[in-house]
Amino acid sequence: NADAAMYRAKELGKNNIQFYTREMNASIEEKLLLLEGLRRALEEDQFHLLYQPKVDLHTGQVFGVEALVRWQHPEHGMVGPDRFIPLAEESGLIIALGDWVLRTACAQNRAWQDAGLPPLRVSVNVSPRQFEEPQLVQRVQRALADAGLAAEWLELEVTEGVIMRDLQQAVAKMAMVKAMGASLSIDDFGTGYSSLSALKSFPISTLKIDKSFVRDLGNGGGDEAIASSIISLAHRLKLRVIAEGVETEQQRAFLCENGCDEMQGYLFSRPLPPEQLASLLSSGARPRLLTAVA
Ligand code: C2E
Ligand code: MG
Ligand code: MG
Ligand code: MG
């Protein structure tokens, strides 16, 4: 990259070197500013979690939720994770932020149970650096213990990239998480590059079909083949399979007909604040379209 920049600067002539450099500095400054903002946000409690229901495609039951972090910025309003997770990851702040997410999600789940809601499994996204960090297992244990939550009600979502960076170590760590009683799923499955032979050694319970393969389901493109292959692959490996980003009845119908187990997406519900999630569940809401099939 530096080489390319030099080459470009030379090509553009001397005056442009200044310009190019200034641009690069600006982006570093921007990053530092954002990072400073993120640190303050952690201290000042500007993060919160939304929870998106995961629905059993065949019974219509909500059996779990995925915790998704949001940043309520004092000036810019709500900032989505795609805008700050990469920098948190790059800077290492993800360790502290991820710990906050884990602890908050466990505590919230316990609070729902105490309020008499049917028990749910809460899924927490774990980024590569967080997963590789030596203290991960202890952090998970501590979050569960402090919340008073049984491990079976927690799931970690990791991406294929996390696992393939150091396969043996990742499998060992996954085994520790499983031994603790929590479960694991592979997020965004199909977009990474885990080998199929590695997949069979992962102590996971679920594959999540990435929403990029869900978007065009039912339109007759190649995504039907990909989605149905992932579903049968998962089942032959004795794994469950969930589709993310389900927005339309057409997509749901395809997934249901092809034996997908679970779904998550705007069709049933957007990610919700904890109170709204609780009222959705206590109202006994079922995806209206499922009753026709069941
Ligand atoms: P992900 O884990 O794959 O989460 C799924 C994303 O799809 C979420 O975006 C969710 O809001 C969105 N989504 C759900 N249903 C639909 C739908 O029907 N249609 C569409 N178009 N989108 C849908 P979000 O919340 O913006 O999160 C983006 C990514 O940021 C997540 O992807 C995850 O990789 C990361 N992330 C979110 N929260 C955390 C966190 O607490 N820790 C870490 N490490 N990463 C997080
Ligand atoms: Mg996820
Ligand atoms: Mg995903
Ligand atoms: Mg994703």
Side-chain angles (χ1 to χ4, degrees), residues 52 66-70 81-82 85 94 101 125-127 130 157 187-188 211 244-247 264-266 271:
Q52 188 177 37
E66 177 174 10
L68 295 157
V69 70
R70 297 290 181 270
D82 289 333
I85 291 286
I94 193 68
V101 170
N125 291 287
V126 174
S127 74
Q130 229 185 320
E157 294 191 4
D187 205 351
D188 303 340
K211 59 176 176 292
E244 65 173 22
V246 179
E247 293 183 358
Q264 181 183 351
Y266 299 164

Side-chain angles (χ1 to χ4, degrees), residues 26 160 178 184-185 222 247 266 283:
E160 296 162 82
K178 189 184 174 183
L184 281 153
S185 67
E247 293 183 358
Y266 299 164
S283 78

Side-chain angles (χ1 to χ4, degrees), residues 131 137 168-182 184 201-204:
F131 189 76
V137 175
Q168 277 193 341
Q169 226 186 345
V171 170
K173 194 164 271 188
M174 287 192 281
M176 285 193 268
V177 171
K178 189 184 174 183
M180 196 193 304
L184 281 153
S201 64
F202 298 164
I204 55 172

Side-chain angles (χ1 to χ4, degrees), residues 205-242:
S205 56
T206 308
L207 289 185
K208 270 191 111 163
I209 304 175
D210 188 67
K211 59 176 176 292
S212 63
F213 303 122
V214 172
R215 195 171 39 226
D216 294 325
L217 284 183
N219 292 344
D223 288 339
E224 284 85 3
I226 296 174
S228 59
S229 302
I230 296 177
I231 294 166
S232 41
L233 174 68
H235 287 164
R236 300 193 93 177
L237 291 169
K238 306 222 161 29
L239 303 174
R240 290 182 67 80
V241 58
I242 180 166

